[in-house]
């Protein structure tokens, strides 16, 4: 055969994407209606971001792009998806309760792709529906990479089976164009794989580096990461954009050198390696004894103390009274700073998790919201996460969870 006519395999990871439209769209509407609109009307935007890959990753070729939607409700979005190269599969309601045929159609198509001759290397499931846990298990058993794109609370088992989870707040940021990071979670890469250019850029933030090094050098022990981040941003506010090209505080601080060490354990800790080690970090049992530790380990609820949760709600209510309405990004930053200044440091990711939980509980942020109302809505979300995770508590433990999650604000 003529060599010029010999077929060759095109470069790129061979991938397949299966989108549970109803699940993702509904979840996004609860979090950010504008992001939901962009998801429905511009699928090419985020699909292209996935195809491009992130730092250290190869590009992807989506050999399969399937979208499953209920035509009786969402038919007006069909054109946007077909134009973006998706195959749209109608999944009408089949029961009186409105349950559609999405699950069975998606699973059948995914299993056909797994056993077919396309050699799919990576499977993407856009849905927070835990019903797909068994499907993810089949992918892993066949030695395929799996990524879940979530727009809602993700069951613990579902999260653990996937190789990667694109969290709902990250997905919203991509849809709204508020982050330059790729959709696929580059955070899963080892920190040593950060781009050389980003490392050089981080070195330029000398004021922040000096401030952090001096702060850690004189601290009596390991310091909570939120406090160190606050000191760095005070010295160099420009870092809040992308942390010197590293995207996250933990990656940035672990590369500044000067005997500064970092661990992401228990929300993040920083210490002087000449005087301390990770063995000097407080044990999880010291910070979250008993039932609270069970909740944080199984549901991903931030491992904050009762006092820290209380401070979050008080700071959030105060900020909403002062400057309504605030974007979730700005509100999380301000609440984080207020908690640090009040001596109850929390990470920004913890505040963002609380805000996400409030959205799941259908709590609308407004200037009249009280700290007690915020605590009640958040506690409702925590209790629902425990129920989904099949955590079982006796009456005393239920009261302990409620008191802890609400910051003690619901005792009366």
């Amino acid at each position: 055969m003529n060599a010029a006519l010999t077929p060759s395999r095109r470069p790129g990871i061979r991938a397949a994407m299966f989108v549970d439209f109803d699940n993702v769209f509904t979840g996004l509407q609860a979090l950010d209606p504008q992001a939901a609109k962009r998801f429905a009307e511009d699928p090419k935007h985020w699909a292209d971001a996935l195809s491009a890959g992130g730092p250290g990753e190869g590009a992807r070729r989506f050999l399969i792009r399937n979208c499953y939607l209920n035509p009786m409700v969402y038919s007006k979005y069909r054109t946007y998806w077909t134009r973006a190269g998706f195959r749209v599969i109608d999944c009408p309601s089949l029961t009186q309760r409105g349950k559609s045929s999405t699950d069975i159609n998606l699973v059948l198509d995914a299993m056909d792709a797994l056993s077919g001759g396309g050699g799919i290397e990576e499977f993407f499931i856009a849905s927070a529906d835990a019903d797909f846990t068994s499907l993810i298990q089949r992918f892993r058993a066949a030695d395929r990479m799996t990524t879940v794109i979530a727009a809602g609370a993700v069951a613990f088992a579902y999260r653990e089976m996937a190789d990667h989870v694109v969290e709902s707040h990250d997905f919203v940021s991509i849809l709204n164009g508020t982050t330059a990071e790729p959709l696929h979670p580059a955070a899963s890469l080892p920190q040593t794989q950060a781009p050389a250019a980003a490392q050089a850029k981080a070195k330029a933030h000398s004021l922040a580096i000096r401030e952090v090094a001096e702060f850690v050098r004189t601290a009596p022990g390991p310091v909570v990461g939120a406090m160190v981040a606050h000191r760095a941003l005070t010295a160099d506010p420009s870092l809040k954009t992308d942390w010197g090209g590293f995207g996250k505080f933990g990656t940035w601080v672990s590369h500044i050198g000067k005997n500064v060490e970092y661990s992401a354990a228990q929300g993040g800790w920083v210490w002087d390696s000449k005087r301390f080690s990770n063995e000097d970090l407080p044990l999880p049992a010291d910070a979250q004894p008993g039932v609270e530790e069970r909740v944080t380990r199984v549901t991903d609820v931030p491992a904050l103390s009762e006092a820290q949760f209380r401070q979050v709600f008080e700071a959030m209510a105060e900020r909403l009274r002062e400057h309504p309405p605030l974007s979730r990004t700005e509100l999380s930053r301000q609440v984080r700073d207020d908690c640090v200044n009040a001596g109850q440091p929390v990470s920004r990711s913890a505040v963002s998790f609380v805000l996400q939980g409030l959205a799941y509980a259908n709590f609308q942020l407004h200037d009249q919201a009280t700290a007690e109302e915020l605590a009640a809505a958040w506690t409702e979300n925590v209790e629902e996460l425990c129920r989904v995770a099949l955590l079982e508590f006796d009456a005393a433990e239920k009261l302990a969870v409620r008191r802890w999650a609400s910051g003690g604000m619901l005792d009366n």
Side-chain angles (χ1 to χ4, degrees), residues 197-227:
Q199 295 185 39
K201 185 177 179 182
K203 295 296 184 182
H205 299 285
S206 56
L207 287 177
I209 292 174
R210 285 200 298 269
E211 173 67 22
V212 167
E214 179 63 19
F215 180 49
V216 172
R217 186 183 65 81
T218 57
V223 185
V224 175
M227 295 186 69

Side-chain angles (χ1 to χ4, degrees), residues 96-117:
Q96 291 182 341
R97 295 185 177 181
K99 179 65 174 178
S100 76
S101 58
T102 290
D103 290 9
I104 186 63
N105 281 310
L106 192 155
V107 169
L108 288 173
D109 288 344
M111 290 304 298
D112 284 345
L114 180 62
S115 60

Side-chain angles (χ1 to χ4, degrees), residues 5 11 43 46 73 76 85 96 101 103 107 113 129 154 156 163 165 172 187 279 334 336 358 361-362 371 380 409:
L5 299 178
W46 56 269
V73 183
K76 65 180 179 180
Q96 291 182 341
S101 58
D103 290 9
V107 169
D129 193 337
V154 181
F156 185 74
D163 291 296
V165 177
V172 167
E279 295 181 355
Q334 292 184 357
R336 185 274 312 274
L358 292 172
N362 295 319
E380 177 185 334
M409 289 188 163

Side-chain angles (χ1 to χ4, degrees), residues 55-99:
E57 301 175 330
R60 294 179 182 80
R61 294 177 54 227
F62 281 102
L63 306 185
I64 298 172
R65 292 188 183 190
N66 286 0
C67 172
Y68 304 82
L69 59 75
N70 187 337
M72 301 175 66
V73 183
Y74 300 117
S75 61
K76 65 180 179 180
Y77 298 117
R78 171 189 291 277
T79 302
Y80 299 108
W81 289 75
T82 55
R83 188 171 59 191
F86 281 79
R87 172 183 170 232
V88 178
I89 296 91
D90 288 338
C91 300
S93 299
L94 301 177
T95 68
Q96 291 182 341
R97 295 185 177 181
K99 179 65 174 178

Side-chain angles (χ1 to χ4, degrees), residues 176-301:
N176 288 338
T178 57
T179 177
E181 294 183 20
L183 184 58
H184 198 272
S188 61
L189 294 173
Q191 292 178 343
T192 55
Q193 293 185 19
Q199 295 185 39
K201 185 177 179 182
K203 295 296 184 182
H205 299 285
S206 56
L207 287 177
I209 292 174
R210 285 200 298 269
E211 173 67 22
V212 167
E214 179 63 19
F215 180 49
V216 172
R217 186 183 65 81
T218 57
V223 185
V224 175
M227 295 186 69
V228 179
H230 182 68
R231 297 291 288 261
L233 291 174
T234 300
D236 186 353
S238 69
L239 278 173
K240 68 181 180 181
T241 303
D242 64 351
W243 284 104
F246 287 95
K248 295 184 177 182
F249 164 74
T251 311
W252 174 80
V253 76
S254 66
H255 280 86
I256 66 176
K258 299 186 180 298
N259 302 309
V260 174
E261 294 289 339
Y262 171 78
S263 171
Q266 307 170 49
W269 289 87
V270 185
W271 65 88
D272 177 8
S273 62
K274 284 188 174 181
R275 298 181 297 138
F276 306 105
S277 70
N278 55 10
E279 295 181 355
D280 295 301
L281 299 181
L283 296 174
D286 294 339
Q288 297 295 335
V291 68
E292 297 91 338
E293 183 185 1
R294 289 170 57 194
V295 175
T296 59
R297 291 177 62 184
V298 174
T299 66
D300 290 333
V301 168

